[in-house]
Amino acid sequence: WPDGVWFVDLAAATSPAQVDEAASNAIGAGRLPGRDHRDDLIDHLRDRTALIVLDNCEHLAPRPARLAHDIVTNAPSCAVLATSRTPLAVRGETVHRLGPLELDGPDSPAFQLFMERAGPSAPPDTEGYSRLCAALEGLPLSIELAAPRAVALGPHVLLDRLDHSVSLIQSADPSLPERQRTLERLLDWSWDLLTDEARDMLSAVAVLPAGFTLDMVESHRAGAPDTTDPVETLVLLLEHSLVIRAPDAGETRFRVPVTVRTYALGRRDLDHRVAAARRFGEYFVELLGPRRATTWRWLSRVESEIDNLRAVIHRVAGHDDHLGQRLAWTIGRRHDLRSAIATGIDEMATYHELLPSPTPQRTANLCLMIDLALRTEYTERADRYLSDARTCADDVGAPDWDSTCVQKAEGVLALRRGEPERAIEIARAAIGRCATPRSRARLLNLVGIASAECDLVDDAVDALRAELAAEVEAGLELMQCTTRSNLAEALLQANDPTGAARHQREVLDEARSNQDTTLIAFSVLLAARLCLVEGEFAEALVLQTAGTRLLADAGIALFASDTEALAAAATRIRTSLDRVEHEQAIGTGALISDDEAADRAAVALSRHAEEPAGATTDLQLADRADRRSTTGPGRHHEHRHHGALT
């Protein structure tokens, strides 16, 4: 640029009319009486080769865009470099979007910038400074402003307050432009540039920490009095970099940076924040709530929205407990299906206290808490929850989508106490009152498991097949997988190892594709039982050791009969192997990876699935008591939990 690089600071300009004057003065164009500043500027640049930097164009649109167009059109050897929150949208413009700085450790650009601004006197605290840079999402100005304050107050002080206020992130440097001395002033600058619709949308989506989709925005604006296209409003927020695009698992998602979220929420009162949370909460209930079938797609979507569900629950608590309770059920069900039992118990207990309003949904949530508690033998806690569930059901009833949830909980608790006959009685009495295939499936599940526990094998097989049919009718993919596993257990007990192996092999394939550790564990254990029946003692011990470890890692508690049967099987194997073989098999089972255990189980299941029915004779030769002493856990209560041995 032989004729220079000229910097035009437009930050101080308060009206579009001042753009031409600011540029002409900065470049030093001559001023002729009666002529526009733009004419003087173009004449000055027409035969020159120069670069014109137009800084901070966003608040003066569309005047900077027109100036840039006139310069490059009439002075072809000149170029314009513009900085702006939004593109100028001029033909021929090339847009370079500036993303945040990388955050990959102490050598990252974000951390290096932080340390430069913190200065050599900054106390050593690599972890704290790294966490602060991550919380600020690598935004350079935020890091520059935060660094001196972090040195003075400690990074934890800023981190603790970042979700509530951005006022601490500021600088006393008088050389900085006024709007860049505090993060709050900078965001004020951006806020003032938005339309009313954009402000409303920004403050609404700010309640969603895990980001949002276009569907959520359109749902939120449905029925709004204005006619502005929500997509156009979202584009405006994207152009202002107040919302950023974050592709996730094939779905385009958007999110609001944490500092912008905090600021935008602070610009609206409590009623506005609660109203926004309610609208998004109703969207999530419709998409993921208790009435929706629990499919693999459902589970995947819950995983992506779980932090949003949590945020909405806390915002509506005390304002709309029923909505919060329905979202809490979704979270608890997710923990149940993912075998995150301890986390599920703790989180559901928190929501139980946070959302105390007596509603039918609270009854269902208490029953879900009983299910979770019984996974880890918390029988005292389950007793307490059952008492509360009965009281709540007496007062307000149970939801129509699971009208017999209390009876199901009573039956499961009876089964856990070693009273399978009582469990069957409770379940059969309640089946006639089921209002939905889902409720019927849950009670048939109880009948099937309890019948197997009572050695009523034909009843168990019939009940589990009826359960599977009800789940197919209701579209409950996740329950179907578990039911097939329970049916495999019942078929093995009914002297049909081929049918058992075929069902369990299908279960194992699906469990592996969806990383369901619990169902993989039960598949490994059923494969061990088949190997034991065939006299393959070493392989049976390898698989039993690996499967037991997988269950322990998942935090799944077994019935007492399960534990006894495992011990009996271990004794039988011990007498069939010499000491070296026994130790090697246990060592192998303890050390092999989860994938290798699943691979070995798949081989065993496939081998037995190919055999004609009746080819295996050991089960026919053994009486039922002997079978109980030589088998291991396979049957599990409802949605992939509780190994119940035969």
Side-chain angles (χ1 to χ4, degrees):
W1 309 107
D3 295 306
V5 176
W6 301 91
F7 183 80
V8 182
D9 186 0
L10 298 177
T14 58
S15 71
Q18 298 174 8
V19 171
D20 297 345
E21 181 180 0
S24 181
N25 291 341
I27 295 172
R31 183 78 168 88
L32 295 177
R35 282 173 44 103
D36 291 337
H37 288 288
R38 180 170 302 198
D39 293 335
D40 292 333
L41 178 62
I42 295 301
D43 284 345
H44 180 77
L45 294 175
R46 197 179 305 276
D47 297 322
R48 286 181 165 82
T49 302
L51 174 64
I52 314 303
V53 179
L54 302 179
D55 194 40
N56 294 294
C57 299
E58 59 269 10
H59 63 300
L60 301 165
R63 199 61 169 263
R66 293 173 182 164
L67 176 60
H69 175 269
D70 287 349
I71 290 174
V72 297
T73 300
N74 296 290
S77 294
C78 291
V80 174
L81 173 63
T83 72
S84 176
R85 285 292 182 120
T86 60
L88 299 185
V90 177
R91 182 177 298 176
E93 175 185 25
T94 300
V95 178
H96 297 274
R97 297 191 179 274
L98 300 182
L101 299 176
E102 293 181 12
L103 291 162
D104 54 348
D107 294 328
S108 68
F111 189 86
Q112 292 300 317
L113 175 63
F114 182 94
M115 295 309 299
E116 287 175 12
R117 297 302 184 264
S121 63
D125 189 354
T126 299
E127 181 181 356
Y129 298 153
S130 295
R131 287 179 56 213
L132 182 55
C133 288
L136 295 171
E137 300 181 280
L139 298 176
L141 181 61
S142 298
I143 290 173
E144 292 203 29
L145 295 175
R149 285 301 176 96
V151 172
L153 300 174
H156 63 281
V157 174
L158 272 65
L159 284 165
D160 290 343
R161 288 162 173 75
L162 201 54
D163 284 337
H164 310 291
S165 173
V166 296
S167 60
L168 276 180
I169 303 177
Q170 58 180 281
S171 171
D173 185 352
S175 66
L176 289 174
E178 180 69 18
R179 71 184 186 287
Q180 294 182 8
R181 292 183 187 177
T182 74
L183 188 56
E184 194 165 22
R185 289 178 188 170
L186 179 65
L187 292 169
D188 284 340
W189 169 278
S190 300
W191 181 268
D192 291 341
L193 295 174
L194 298 176
T195 63
D196 289 341
E197 292 80 9
R199 293 181 191 129
D200 286 343
M201 181 179 290
L202 180 62
S203 58
V205 296
V207 306
L208 302 174
F212 58 95
T213 65
L214 186 57
D215 284 347
M216 293 183 206
V217 169
E218 292 177 325
S219 173
H220 180 271
R221 297 303 300 166
D226 65 84
T227 58
T228 305
D229 184 349
V231 177
E232 292 302 319
T233 304
L234 176 59
V235 169
L236 178 62
L237 293 173
L238 288 164
E239 289 179 341
H240 280 261
S241 300
L242 296 170
V243 168
I244 57 179
R245 187 178 170 193
D248 177 52
E251 177 185 41
T252 300
R253 291 181 71 87
F254 308 92
R255 65 183 182 85
V256 184
V258 63
T259 50
V260 180
R261 283 187 60 239
T262 301
Y263 173 86
L265 290 171
R267 293 296 301 245
R268 292 293 191 246
D269 60 21
L270 177 62
D271 289 344
H272 185 281
R273 296 194 294 269
V274 171
R278 270 182 168 151
R279 287 194 291 271
F280 286 123
E282 292 294 347
Y283 171 87
F284 290 132
V285 165
E286 179 64 25
L287 184 71
L288 305 169
R291 295 182 183 277
R292 304 298 294 184
T294 49
T295 64
W296 290 113
R297 181 178 177 82
W298 176 92
L299 184 58
S300 175
R301 190 61 186 266
V302 173
E303 299 281 5
S304 64
E305 304 295 351
I306 192 165
D307 287 336
N308 285 338
L309 300 180
R310 289 166 173 154
V312 170
I313 288 172
H314 283 277
R315 292 201 180 276
V316 302
H319 303 277
D320 192 341
D321 282 4
H322 182 228
L323 174 60
Q325 289 163 356
R326 286 180 288 168
L327 297 175
W329 184 93
T330 297
I331 292 176
R333 193 75 181 94
R334 176 266 176 196
H335 291 317
D336 187 12
L337 295 170
R338 284 299 190 199
S339 299
I341 306 305
T343 301
I345 291 171
D346 290 344
E347 189 162 6
M348 288 299 289
T350 297
Y351 297 142
H352 185 63
E353 298 296 326
L354 185 67
L355 307 162
S357 298
T359 68
Q361 183 63 52
R362 184 173 173 87
T363 302
N365 285 11
L366 282 162
C367 292
L368 176 55
M369 293 165 72
I370 294 168
D371 281 347
L372 290 168
L374 290 177
R375 305 291 191 257
T376 50
E377 296 184 313
Y378 287 161
T379 51
E380 287 187 12
R381 181 179 287 192
D383 281 333
R384 187 169 67 254
Y385 291 154
L386 180 57
S387 176
D388 292 344
R390 284 170 173 159
T391 300
C392 194
D394 288 342
D395 292 341
V396 297
D400 59 359
W401 53 267
D402 197 5
S403 57
T404 55
C405 60
V406 175
Q407 290 75 24
K408 172 68 192 303
E410 290 173 337
V412 173
L413 194 54
L415 186 60
R416 180 57 105 169
R417 287 172 176 156
E419 303 171 359
E421 296 87 355
R422 173 64 178 156
I424 294 172
E425 179 184 349
I426 292 171
R428 291 201 182 280
I431 285 177
R433 302 200 302 272
C434 291
T436 63
R438 178 185 194 156
S439 296
R440 188 166 68 253
R442 283 166 55 80
L443 290 169
L444 287 166
N445 169 267
L446 181 57
V447 171
I449 292 173
S451 296
E453 192 74 3
C454 294
D455 284 339
L456 302 173
V457 181
D458 291 340
D459 288 352
V461 171
D462 290 344
L464 292 170
R465 282 179 171 153
E467 178 193 358
L468 188 59
E471 289 161 357
V472 170
E473 181 182 352
L476 303 173
E477 289 179 2
L478 297 172
M479 290 174 65
Q480 291 172 43
C481 191
T482 301
T483 302
R484 287 202 308 273
S485 186
N486 288 332
L487 182 57
E489 161 70 20
L491 289 170
L492 185 57
Q493 189 175 354
N495 300 328
D496 184 4
T498 302
R502 287 172 179 168
H503 275 287
Q504 199 69 51
R505 178 58 204 263
E506 291 179 10
V507 171
L508 178 58
D509 289 344
E510 189 165 341
R512 296 188 78 176
S513 68
N514 292 284
Q515 299 179 333
D516 188 324
T517 304
T518 304
L519 278 180
I520 291 172
F522 281 118
S523 299
V524 172
L525 287 171
L526 191 132
R529 296 175 61 188
L530 289 169
C531 290
L532 184 59
V533 167
E534 290 296 317
E536 301 165 358
F537 299 109
E539 185 64 9
L541 184 54
V542 169
L543 292 172
Q544 181 166 303
T545 303
T548 304
R549 171 175 55 82
L550 285 169
L551 277 184
D553 291 345
I556 302 301
L558 299 174
F559 289 119
S561 57
D562 300 352
T563 305
E564 293 171 5
L566 282 173
T571 299
R572 180 178 175 187
I573 293 171
R574 188 178 295 109
T575 61
S576 303
L577 297 174
D578 62 37
R579 183 178 61 82
V580 173
E581 291 173 327
H582 189 269
E583 290 179 355
Q584 286 178 341
I586 289 180
T588 300
L591 295 176
I592 61 174
S593 67
D594 296 355
D595 277 343
E596 185 175 349
D599 286 342
R600 295 175 79 138
V603 170
L605 292 171
S606 296
R607 186 170 67 252
H608 287 86
E610 293 171 358
E611 296 173 357
T616 300
T617 59
D618 285 23
L619 286 174
Q620 287 83 2
L621 295 174
D623 62 25
R624 206 171 291 282
D626 183 56
R627 285 205 311 277
R628 181 177 292 278
S629 71
T630 59
T631 58
R635 197 168 59 253
H636 41 297
H637 160 62
E638 198 181 24
H639 311 300
R640 68 196 59 201
H641 301 296
H642 290 343
L645 294 181
T646 59

